[in-house]
Amino acid sequence: MTTKMMTAVAFGRENKGRFVEELKALLRIPSVSTAPEHAGDVRGAAEFVAAELKRIGMENVRLIETSTAGRKGHPLVYADWLHAAPGADGKAKPTVLCYGHYDVQPAEPLDEWKSPPFEPTERDGNIYARGAVDDKGQMWMHVKALESLMAAGGGTLPVNVRVIVEGEEEVGGEGIAAFVREHGDQLKADVALVSDTEMFAPELPTLCVGLRGMIYTEIEARGAKTDLHSGMYGGAAPNPFVALAQVIAKLKDENGKILIPGFYDEVQKPTADELKAWKALPFDEEHYCATEVGSSVLTGEPGLSVQERTWARPTLDVHGMPGGFVGVGAKTVIPAKAVAKVSMRLVPDMTPAESFRRYKAYVESIAPKGVQLEVRLIHAGDPIVVSTDNSYVKAATEAMREVFGKETVFVRGGGSIPIVGDFVRELKVPTVMMGFGLPDDNLHAPNEKFHLANFHRGIESIVRFLSGVGA
Amino acid sequence: MTTKMMTAVAFGRENKGRFVEELKALLRIPSVSTAPEHAGDVRGAAEFVAAELKRIGMENVRLIETSTAGRKGHPLVYADWLHAAPGADGKAKPTVLCYGHYDVQPAEPLDEWKSPPFEPTERDGNIYARGAVDDKGQMWMHVKALESLMAAGGGTLPVNVRVIVEGEEEVGGEGIAAFVREHGDQLKADVALVSDTEMFAPELPTLCVGLRGMIYTEIEARGAKTDLHSGMYGGAAPNPFVALAQVIAKLKDENGKILIPGFYDEVQKPTADELKAWKALPFDEEHYCATEVGSSVLTGEPGLSVQERTWARPTLDVHGMPGGFVGVGAKTVIPAKAVAKVSMRLVPDMTPAESFRRYKAYVESIAPKGVQLEVRLIHAGDPIVVSTDNSYVKAATEAMREVFGKETVFVRGGGSIPIVGDFVRELKVPTVMMGFGLPDDNLHAPNEKFHLANFHRGIESIVRFLSGVGA
């Protein structure tokens, strides 16, 4: 096994140049999933990925059509290879489900790009293009690791592998969510591998072992039946914005503590080991404050580190408050209604359903006089945590340590990757989140890039991980 | 004098049909002041008014060009007749400044009009057209009252009269404000007459003797230097919307009381006579709540009548909160900035300057951690109250009682008519607000109308008022 693995690693090293050229060809396809005019390009990217999976020896390669609410979606790409020989002990090898996405964010604003977003360009050891790191480059690492292992194994892999690549990650991922829900049997696996996260710092091998969940809601406040003039009615008519402000001020105090009764009841503290590890991370709060946030002072619960606050504590944010008059100057309207878009991030062991129930009941209980409140759930995602004792996590740790020559650090993410929650809930499998992006890779922004050294280290890490899982 | 007045009244009655036809011609001109494509129509309306003032015998008729912040505005129409013979006591007759506006609101939404907005149509004793009551119809009452008096007086008037008609009332009235400020000597008068208000109820002669002032402000809250993702930064980055909500919740309590220290210090209570008069008004709170406001319950300070709350108490309203994400669905942005449009209505003897100073200092003192607040004044207007003992108010009261055969009621308005404040501040003259609109005249809305009986009663009331002032 070790010999085959080393052969696969060597194969990857020998074919570096070709791998990058192939990635460039994929990056030239403007598969912007949100843009109807690019629907053909999105399908073209799916076909490109499918053709390569077929070429390297994967089986049952096919596009799976999706639809959301009756509207045709972008296809999933599926492939598998399920013939791994049992081990010496006679036990069947595990199945790894490799997930990625081939769609990309829009490239706008175009004039801020130094080189065109769909003409991949190498500069300073990076490849610049829309989708370079999110997620075409990282998804391509999976394909190239599988190619390397196939080449070393004479058309066999050390583990069973299924591949599922979606084309709607940047537009909500409804298609794959429905497929996982309805056809989970077609994705049966023991562990999922997702490469759509980043390293904590350059040269620092990083595994993400937790994600916050979320509930995204709207509170609609209705006062008068129509818009009223604040001169004639001010002092008698209810004002939906004032009512929403009063509600929001009662949702979170000035120390960042959420005031919904019972909201923290299920919150699990990070383990002492995790807290210790987070403290050891190379993190300069002053630098973070000045360059990333750009605020004079951070907010949030006192006495907790930034990592605890953004990874292991629930939060509440308001994203926008549509309604009324938002133009230049003055219009003296008391609007009939106003909306607040409010989301909460959740951490283990909170659940979206229970959190929303508590939130809705509390908001309704504090509705100001004269205003009807309607609380709506827009979408939800489960919080995730994977134990660092998990054998797959251990295999990934080991693989990255070998490649980087450094101990792998465990972090969590403050955001959500909904598919990881779907894998837990529907497939009952943990996910190894092994990402090779860097904090300055400009995801969703102009001049997105992927550090090419990390592309190659990623391929090698995945070769070693899959070999380790199959050992 | 009484004979001349009766002759003038008779002249008005004999010429009813012609007066209405002239008004229709004026209403056919779409003088929408906010629409650049109607600039020619706006000027056409000004020329129409000027030509008629000249024809009936007014002097020094001219258009006065205006400009606001270097941008050319719509013209003022000016006219005067200043030769009123001194009274038997040798004392010079007073000068009355008649104000009106010839511009109108846009007519949209057009498909809600039962007859086209610029094709005046008579139905059920009303004339329907954009500007019918606001303010072409009421301004035309002034012109027709002057014509009637000129006809009865053989080319003379019982008092000195200046006429000023603006074309930017619906877009802020900056042009006339500047003219009053800079050329007040050209408008020297003893009293102003404004017909741009409404009667409290049909058949109820009404004088408006007070208006609330206002300060219209913006609070801009800035947190991070750029928009941030609430997954990655939620719990550490300041949220400008949450900060604004916390500020707004501290500006007004749930009983409608404004919490700015000292805000009520200069508030004058209405007199006992006023309060008694307001109580006697035909007002059904349940009906008002159900049909006008359409809310299950009114808000505002407990223990005060709707009239006190909307006419004699300051209020605070939020009109809109631009910033962040306001589209459909979910976007998890922590916006770098957000704005709240907040206005306060003021009552005598509050001043905009002192009220704004107190508000700004208080808002700045409660700025939440991590957020910079900028408090901006967008515009301001003085509160107004005219004593019912004023001789001009008495003359108006008498005139309306004669015409309607009923006691005139005194009300205030909750809104602002900025020009009335300008007349007080710059010209040092009180204003008689004698309006003939009805509460259901659909100002600024589709199917604006003017009750034709009130058009004619308005002309007669003004004939009697000007005669009374000149008696």
Side-chain angles (χ1 to χ4, degrees), chain A residues 60-351:
Chain A
N60 300 311
V61 179
R62 67 181 194 276
L63 301 196
I64 299 170
E65 301 302 331
T66 64
S67 69
T68 303
R71 203 177 46 80
K72 191 165 178 291
H74 302 303
L76 304 170
V77 183
Y78 175 85
D80 62 31
W81 190 92
L82 303 168
H83 314 296
D89 55 4
K91 278 173 70 177
K93 291 291 157 83
T95 301
V96 178
L97 175 63
C98 296
Y99 162 88
H101 64 92
Y102 64 82
D103 66 321
V104 300
Q105 281 274 319
E108 285 75 12
L110 296 178
D111 56 358
E112 291 184 24
W113 285 80
K114 285 186 194 145
S115 51
F118 298 107
E119 289 179 22
T121 307
E122 288 183 52
R123 282 197 305 276
D124 307 327
N126 299 305
I127 186 162
Y128 284 86
R130 170 56 82 229
V133 68
D134 179 21
D135 180 53
K136 282 176 175 170
Q138 299 213 68
M139 180 264 292
W140 206 245
M141 296 181 322
H142 288 200
V143 179
K144 295 297 104 180
L146 292 174
E147 180 185 359
S148 302
L149 287 165
M150 281 283 192
T156 69
L157 295 173
V159 283
N160 299 308
V161 170
R162 294 184 201 265
V163 174
I164 188 88
V165 187
E166 71 162 314
E168 297 185 329
E169 199 272 347
E170 303 294 3
V171 289
E174 271 308 307
I176 195 170
F179 185 76
V180 170
R181 205 160 52 232
E182 291 158 21
H183 304 287
D185 53 312
Q186 299 181 33
L187 297 176
K188 236 166 145 319
D190 298 287
V191 63
L193 175 68
V194 170
S195 299
D196 201 12
T197 52
E198 64 183 35
M199 300 180 357
F200 191 80
E203 310 298 318
L204 194 63
T206 306
L207 276 174
C208 177
V209 296
L211 294 168
R212 291 197 287 193
M214 81 174 314
I215 49 176
Y216 197 106
T217 77
E218 287 179 351
I219 309 175
E220 179 171 311
R222 291 185 167 273
K225 65 173 173 175
T226 55
D227 289 2
L228 296 175
H229 188 281
S230 72
M232 291 176 70
Y233 295 96
N239 186 308
F241 277 112
V242 174
L244 286 174
Q246 289 165 341
V247 168
I248 293 164
K250 287 182 180 169
L251 284 172
K252 187 161 101 166
D253 74 13
E254 295 192 12
N255 283 321
K257 179 148 195 278
I258 298 165
L259 304 172
I260 301 163
F263 202 67
Y264 292 90
D265 282 1
E266 281 82 32
V267 172
Q268 293 303 313
K269 278 198 158 184
T271 63
D273 276 357
E274 268 190 297
L275 288 174
K276 203 178 133 193
W278 296 350
K279 238 178 214 156
L281 290 170
F283 180 76
D284 178 345
E285 183 163 331
E286 220 167 284
H287 184 260
Y288 171 87
C289 195
T291 64
E292 285 201 54
V293 178
S295 162
S296 57
V297 60
L298 297 179
T299 56
E301 295 170 279
L304 301 179
S305 71
V306 168
Q307 281 70 42
E308 279 178 270
R309 271 139 65 202
T310 58
W311 295 347
R313 296 292 288 175
T315 58
L316 183 148
D317 273 295
V318 177
H319 308 289
M321 296 182 68
F325 175 67
V326 294
V328 170
K331 186 178 169 186
T332 54
V333 62
I334 300 180
K337 68 165 192 170
V339 171
K341 288 179 177 271
V342 180
S343 81
M344 281 140 279
R345 298 280 164 178
L346 311 179
V347 300
D349 294 329
M350 302 170 83
T351 61

Side-chain angles (χ1 to χ4, degrees), chain B residues 16-32:
Chain B
K16 273 183 175 187
R18 172 169 63 84
F19 289 180
V20 172
E21 288 311 310
E22 290 167 359
L23 172 58
K24 284 184 184 172
L26 177 59
L27 289 171
R28 280 188 200 103
I29 307 173
S31 51
V32 181

